[in-house]
Amino acid sequence: MKKRVRQKKAIRFRRFAGKAYAAFNSIGKMVTIGVLASGMLAVAQTVKADKGNDNSMLDGGISPQQIEEVEVTAERTPIELKQAAKVVTVISRADIEAASANNIQDLLEYAVGLDVKQRGEYGVQADISIRGGTHDQTAVFLNGIYLSNPQTGHYNFDIPVNLPDIERIEIIEGAAAKLYGAGAFAGVVNIVTRVDTVRHGYVEAGGGMHRLAVGNAGISVPSGNFAHQFSAGYSSSAGYMDNSDFSICNFFWQTNHTSDDADFHFQTGYNNKSYGANTFYSASYPNQHDKTQRIFAAVQARTKGKIQFSPQLFWHRHYDNFQLIKGTPTGENFHQSQVFGGKFDANFLWKLGRTVLGGEILNEGILSTVLGLPMLNDSVKVPGGDAYYKRKANRTTVSYFVEHNFFWKQWRLSAGALINYNTSQNGNFGLYPGIDLAVQVSPEVKIYASLNTAFRMPTFTDLYYTSPTNVGNPDLKPERSTACEVGVKYRNNFLSAYITGFYQHGKNMIDWVKEKPEDKWESRNLAKLNTAGVETSWNIFPKRIVNESFFIRQVQIGYAWISQNRDSQNLLSNYVLDFLKHKFTVSLHHDIYRNFSIQWNFRWQDREGSFTQYENRKPAYELPYPPYALLDTKINWQQREWKAALQINNILNNTYYDIGNIPQPGIWVMGSVKYVFNY
């Protein structure tokens, strides 16, 4: 075991290393992949999609020791994994296959450092935050392309991909402005899609309680140095309670080209959602309804050689039609947000390490019936309707960044900074430095520490939204924070474990608050918010202790604790002061018989904060969030090209709330069949 470590053999993940769109490629930052932070996430492993057999569900996984030997090549800073100074959760393809989840939001619920507050089932809408932050403080990427919504973080995960399209999900916790710019205030979620290099396809159909219907299909079409992939997905349900029905449709296309000189990637997609929004934003209105659409396209490349250049261009547009009372114009509003931009960087290796520098420009705009400033010229007609956009807002962010990585024996030092200018900030520039340090004290033990800064611009909803229940604030200041972290990681052939402690000092934190339950929510800057926490995860592979025929594949235990010291001014909080104080996760993955396996996922959550209890659709009094426990399971079967799954969520049929006054589903049974083929 130790002999293998001393030999420093490197196994290159083909999907991790060779694509410019991986998050680690797009930022030029080496991060620790396979440090597990959830009750169901296995150690990251490659999926040999180019063989077309798609049998990752039955793979036994790779050991923590093998993970340490993996070399992850970022676009700007390639290093061996064991040298990395960041803790990153990676949900691998095998994890996705085994998990009791049908969408990205459900999948992220078992990451111990994440707080997923669902407003509906099956990925309808969820607020996803990291380490006690808010949903607006999480930056979202697809293949390294920035997809966060400037209107509101509620729509960050309107992403046009289905689970069968995904190779892995990367979760980076903590402030990361010097790497990701505005929005990466509390952390980053990057979704990386699969790349097949042979003629391969799949068809999947499923259904379940509450008239759930699901269908997915995809095909890859390689041609020379090109690899094209197309996929489509549809899901719908009558809903688990009144006005909780939904329909979701996704289309996705990507093309990859590889040559001796450069790698090229193009992607485009379309997402369409229509859903009943029972009490989503106010319990006074149970008949809310929302319909959204997202269109996006992006192109990026990465040259090869001593100096590597990485250009990137992207565009995405999001439409939103919200009805306060379904089928009526009362409280109805329309929004069209748009983001476009580009990034260019270069990196080179010299005797003192590897240096990367570059710049980015990002334009965010919105046309709306309620958000923004009044239009001075003619209004713009809403596509497909009779309404008109009469308000608009626009801002541009320009950023320059530099980072240097230095290696000496068992030490690694990474230091850098981002200089930022936003047109809405009256000509003021912001400087956001960061530094990471790691030392490998033994083949099994690594100690690391980091100090980073971050900022976040207010969303257009924070600034301008006014409704019967909300009042925006156009004078909001950007949020700013300084965060530090210290941790220890341990790995051997059968165990992967870590413990990390973190502290964040936040200034001008944005929240929606009110003094009394009957008041309207108002967006304000809180003077300060200090967050401290501890996370730990223990991931055990019994097959490597006993033998490969042992029936238990993996046992994982995770726990996170967070505490906040804030200047709340005795106000009721809708977001910032509502966080998970305790989160405990356990998973068990074991074989049943021959081609059958089962995964059990348990989580217990205790949320800090309270919500306003409504009686007769009127605010009555404040209630603290009660803790709750959930148990999910999924039985998987595979026989050559065929796969089948039976999934049961909330087996104990517990009543629970992620957001006040929005009860989540009880027990939900669903099943699916998938056929994978080569042609």
Side-chain angles (χ1 to χ4, degrees):
M1 192 110 29
K2 292 183 180 179
K3 183 178 180 180
R4 292 177 59 192
V5 175
R6 293 192 184 107
Q7 289 175 340
K8 296 185 179 179
K9 295 181 179 179
I11 304 172
R12 182 184 301 276
F13 273 142
R14 298 167 73 177
R15 300 296 170 247
F16 279 47
K19 305 303 173 186
Y21 51 78
F24 316 129
N25 285 358
S26 64
I27 63 173
K29 177 70 173 177
M30 292 317 351
V31 292
T32 299
I33 299 179
V35 176
L36 281 286
S38 84
M40 52 75 66
L41 306 183
V43 171
Q45 62 190 96
T46 185
V47 179
K48 298 180 180 179
D50 52 335
K51 290 187 177 181
N53 54 14
D54 197 24
N55 62 358
S56 59
M57 181 181 71
L58 299 180
D59 292 345
I62 56 179
S63 71
Q65 195 67 50
Q66 288 174 306
I67 285 293
E68 281 296 289
E69 297 169 354
V70 172
E71 181 183 86
V72 183
T73 303
E75 187 175 359
R76 299 185 288 268
T77 321
I79 64 170
E80 286 187 1
L81 180 59
K82 62 185 178 183
Q83 296 173 310
K86 281 284 187 182
V87 174
V88 174
T89 299
V90 172
I91 306 177
S92 71
R93 183 67 206 160
D95 301 324
I96 296 172
E97 291 277 2
S100 303
N102 301 287
N103 55 83
I104 297 170
Q105 292 89 328
D106 287 350
L107 200 60
L108 295 177
E109 286 186 324
Y110 294 97
V112 75
L114 269 63
D115 182 7
V116 181
K117 296 189 288 187
Q118 301 263 22
R119 285 190 174 85
E121 186 62 14
Y122 224 88
V124 167
Q125 191 188 102
D127 294 344
I128 298 178
S129 56
I130 300 175
R131 289 188 173 177
T134 70
H135 55 285
D136 290 321
Q137 296 172 352
T138 300
V140 179
F141 291 78
L142 177 61
N143 293 324
I145 296 297
Y146 183 70
L147 281 188
S148 291
N149 192 306
Q151 177 191 336
T152 172
H154 295 320
Y155 301 132
N156 278 351
F157 284 84
D158 288 353
I159 298 176
V161 295
N162 306 298
L163 285 191
D165 301 324
I166 298 174
E167 174 77 4
R168 68 186 183 275
I169 299 177
E170 306 160 347
I171 304 166
I172 302 175
E173 299 183 28
K178 73 182 177 74
L179 304 176
Y180 291 97
F185 193 89
V188 174
V189 176
N190 179 54
I191 299 156
V192 180
T193 54
R194 310 188 72 187
V195 177
D196 283 342
T197 57
V198 298
R199 298 181 179 275
H200 170 77
Y202 69 89
V203 179
E204 182 179 31
M209 297 171 61
H210 311 297
R211 290 163 51 189
L212 175 68
V214 181
N216 298 306
I219 192 168
S220 62
V221 185
S223 177
N225 290 337
F226 287 90
H228 311 280
Q229 287 178 266
F230 308 89
S231 67
Y234 175 81
S235 59
S236 67
S237 170
Y240 62 93
M241 65 177 181
D242 184 49
N243 194 34
S244 64
D245 58 296
F246 67 85
S247 64
I248 303 174
C249 185
N250 289 321
F251 295 96
F252 182 69
W253 166 31
Q254 66 177 354
T255 292
N256 292 274
H257 179 269
T258 301
S259 70
D260 294 335
D261 299 320
D263 292 333
F264 167 88
H265 180 72
F266 168 79
Q267 58 181 328
T268 185
Y270 172 75
N271 169 269
N272 185 302
K273 292 183 178 181
S274 179
Y275 49 88
N278 189 333
T279 68
F280 270 26
Y281 306 108
S282 172
S284 296
Y285 301 92
N287 295 317
Q288 300 168 60
H289 188 270
D290 210 351
K291 183 176 182 179
T292 65
Q293 300 177 70
R294 169 174 268 176
I295 309 168
F296 93 100
V299 59
Q300 55 209 122
R302 176 189 174 205
T303 66
K304 302 174 182 178
K306 292 183 178 180
I307 301 179
Q308 298 178 351
F309 299 99
S310 304
Q312 181 184 107
L313 294 173
F314 55 90
W315 166 86
H316 54 92
R317 177 177 291 178
H318 188 272
Y319 296 93
D320 171 33
N321 173 205
F322 173 74
Q323 294 178 327
L324 190 64
I325 302 176
K326 183 178 179 180
T328 74
T330 302
E332 184 176 25
N333 49 67
F334 298 85
H335 313 283
Q336 176 188 301
S337 60
Q338 180 170 270
V339 177
F340 64 89
K343 182 169 67 173
F344 182 86
D345 61 58
N347 82 88
F348 52 92
L349 182 66
W350 53 303
K351 63 180 181 180
L352 294 181
R354 183 172 290 274
T355 300
V356 57
L357 50 87
E360 180 178 18
I361 184 168
L362 177 73
N363 180 270
E364 299 172 312
I366 192 167
L367 300 176
S368 175
T369 56
V370 296
L371 300 180
L373 301 174
M375 292 185 182
L376 299 179
N377 300 318
D378 294 337
S379 57
V380 179
K381 189 174 183 179
V382 176
D386 298 326
Y388 285 83
Y389 299 124
K390 297 182 179 181
R391 292 178 173 269
K392 67 177 181 178
N394 192 277
R395 63 195 182 198
T396 299
T397 301
V398 179
S399 301
Y400 302 95
F401 52 86
V402 61
E403 184 185 44
H404 182 74
N405 287 268
F406 174 75
F407 303 91
W408 181 72
K409 294 184 178 180
Q410 304 301 317
W411 293 84
R412 175 185 177 249
L413 174 68
S414 174
L418 177 133
I419 299 175
N420 174 271
Y421 169 78
N422 189 283
T423 55
S424 66
Q425 295 303 299
N426 301 319
N428 295 323
F429 284 82
L431 175 64
Y432 303 94
I435 185 170
D436 305 312
L437 179 67
V439 56
Q440 194 80 36
V441 298
S442 74
E444 293 83 17
V445 179
K446 178 168 63 180
I447 301 173
Y448 66 94
S450 66
L451 177 65
N452 286 282
T453 55
F455 74 104
R456 181 183 78 85
M457 298 298 298
T459 65
F460 292 131
T461 297
D462 293 331
L463 294 167
Y464 302 112
Y465 189 59
T466 299
S467 74
T469 58
N470 299 77
V471 179
N473 181 359
D475 297 323
L476 288 173
K477 300 176 182 179
E479 297 178 319
R480 303 183 189 278
S481 74
T482 301
C484 60
E485 180 176 357
V486 178
V488 179
K489 306 171 188 175
Y490 178 86
R491 292 173 184 271
N492 59 27
N493 188 50
F494 61 86
L495 172 66
S496 170
Y498 78 90
I499 182 169
T500 182
F502 58 89
Y503 175 82
Q504 176 180 280
H505 172 69
K507 182 180 179 181
N508 295 328
M509 308 297 280
I510 299 171
D511 194 12
W512 288 83
V513 298
K514 57 185 178 180
E515 295 181 0
K516 300 185 293 294
E518 61 270 20
D519 293 342
K520 291 185 178 182
W521 293 107
E522 299 180 17
S523 57
R524 296 187 190 178
N525 285 113
L526 302 181
K528 66 176 182 178
L529 179 69
N530 299 324
T531 302
V534 176
E535 290 180 24
T536 186
S537 177
W538 298 75
N539 201 17
I540 305 168
F541 296 84
K543 284 179 178 288
R544 304 190 181 278
I545 301 175
V546 184
N547 55 58
E548 289 298 322
S549 62
F550 191 61
F551 76 103
I552 299 179
R553 300 185 182 187
Q554 182 182 2
V555 178
Q556 206 279 341
I557 302 173
Y559 172 73
W561 168 83
I562 292 177
S563 177
Q564 289 186 348
N565 178 17
R566 67 268 190 182
D567 179 16
S568 63
Q569 303 170 7
N570 295 320
L571 298 171
L572 302 178
S573 169
N574 202 21
Y575 298 119
V576 170
L577 307 184
D578 169 9
F579 62 93
L580 285 183
K581 187 171 184 178
H582 301 280
K583 184 173 182 179
F584 176 69
T585 62
V586 178
S587 77
L588 172 64
H589 188 194
H590 65 86
D591 300 324
I592 302 177
Y593 178 73
R594 292 188 177 179
N595 294 336
F596 287 89
S597 67
I598 186 170
Q599 173 120 357
W600 301 88
N601 296 312
F602 172 84
R603 60 188 169 100
W604 176 81
Q605 298 185 172
D606 185 10
R607 184 175 300 280
E608 183 79 2
S610 63
F611 65 93
T612 303
Q613 179 67 37
Y614 279 63
E615 293 182 352
N616 298 321
R617 300 187 184 180
K618 294 183 180 180
Y621 48 88
E622 287 294 302
L623 280 179
Y625 279 99
Y628 66 82
L630 292 179
L631 178 64
D632 304 327
T633 190
K634 184 179 181 181
I635 301 174
N636 291 301
W637 170 86
Q638 179 174 333
Q639 182 66 40
R640 294 184 179 181
E641 298 88 357
W642 289 93
K643 295 183 178 183
L646 176 64
Q647 180 177 325
I648 308 175
N649 289 349
N650 195 1
I651 295 175
L652 304 177
N653 200 31
N654 289 337
T655 300
Y656 68 102
Y657 297 83
D658 288 333
I659 298 174
N661 298 294
I662 308 178
Q664 293 302 294
I667 187 171
W668 196 324
V669 182
M670 57 197 79
S672 64
V673 177
K674 183 179 181 181
Y675 177 70
V676 181
F677 61 91
N678 295 330
Y679 68 97

